[in-house]
């Protein structure tokens, strides 16, 4: 027997006009489908020739999907990369110089002030005022 909500009362009542449940009794098994083959080298995917896909050391690398080489890295960026990649036991957030140290200390001071503010707010709301 199946049930439905009554239109007037909003309660469950026996449904006489429903002949079948709202879900299949015997589900049909899924059909097996062949997996499509992946094509790695087609004219639509790459315009780079196979010989230039892996350049020899010292040659300029190509932008993926084109035959154009990457532009050269400016000298200022190369110096900054060397500065940040040196192994001198200094954290990376302090390798920028003295201004990075000032920003780090300022950020830590703001974090501590925020924690104190949260603790003060919790204390104000947790402890009732004495009258």
């Amino acid at each position: 027997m199946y049930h439905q909500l009554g239109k007037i009362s909003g309660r469950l009542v026996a449904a006489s006009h429903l002949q079948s449940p709202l879900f299949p009794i015997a589900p049909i098994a899924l059909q097996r489908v062949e997996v499509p083959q992946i094509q790695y080298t087609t004219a639509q995917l790459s315009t780079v020739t196979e010989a230039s896909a892996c350049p020899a050391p010292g040659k300029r690398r190509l932008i993926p999907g084109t035959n154009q080489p990457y532009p050269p890295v400016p000298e200022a960026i190369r110096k900054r990369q060397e500065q940040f990649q040196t192994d001198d036991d200094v954290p990376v957030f302090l390798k920028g110089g003295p201004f990075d140290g000032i920003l780090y200390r300022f950020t830590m001071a703001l974090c501590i002030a925020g924690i104190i503010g949260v603790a003060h707010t919790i204390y104000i709301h947790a402890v009732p005022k004495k009258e």
Side-chain angles (χ1 to χ4, degrees):
M1 176 172 244
Y2 304 108
H3 295 82
Q4 68 181 15
L5 291 175
K7 293 181 181 179
I8 298 172
S9 65
R11 297 182 180 196
L12 283 177
V13 293
S16 59
H17 64 280
L18 291 176
Q19 299 299 322
S20 63
L22 301 176
F23 56 90
I25 298 296
I28 300 171
L30 293 175
Q31 302 295 324
R32 296 226 178 244
V33 178
E34 291 295 324
V35 179
Q37 295 296 324
I38 299 175
Q39 298 177 355
Y40 291 102
T41 55
T42 62
Q44 293 84 11
L45 293 178
S46 177
T47 59
V48 178
T49 61
E50 291 298 322
S52 64
C54 295
K59 290 188 177 182
R60 297 179 69 184
R61 294 180 21 198
L62 300 178
I63 298 174
T66 67
N67 284 327
Q68 299 174 353
Y70 282 108
V73 178
E75 190 61 31
I77 293 177
R78 187 171 301 278
K79 286 182 182 178
R80 295 290 282 188
Q81 285 177 340
E82 290 174 4
Q83 175 187 356
F84 279 93
Q85 291 175 356
T86 56
D87 188 18
D88 54 359
D89 294 334
V90 176
V92 72
F93 55 88
L94 295 176
K95 284 191 176 189
F99 187 66
D100 281 352
I102 293 170
L103 286 177
Y104 173 72
R105 287 175 181 84
F106 179 69
T107 303
M108 288 297 111
L110 286 179
C111 290
I112 291 170
I115 290 172
I116 291 171
V118 168
H120 180 262
T121 303
I122 291 173
Y123 178 77
I124 293 296
H125 290 291
V127 178
K129 291 183 179 180
K130 295 181 181 177
E131 292 185 24

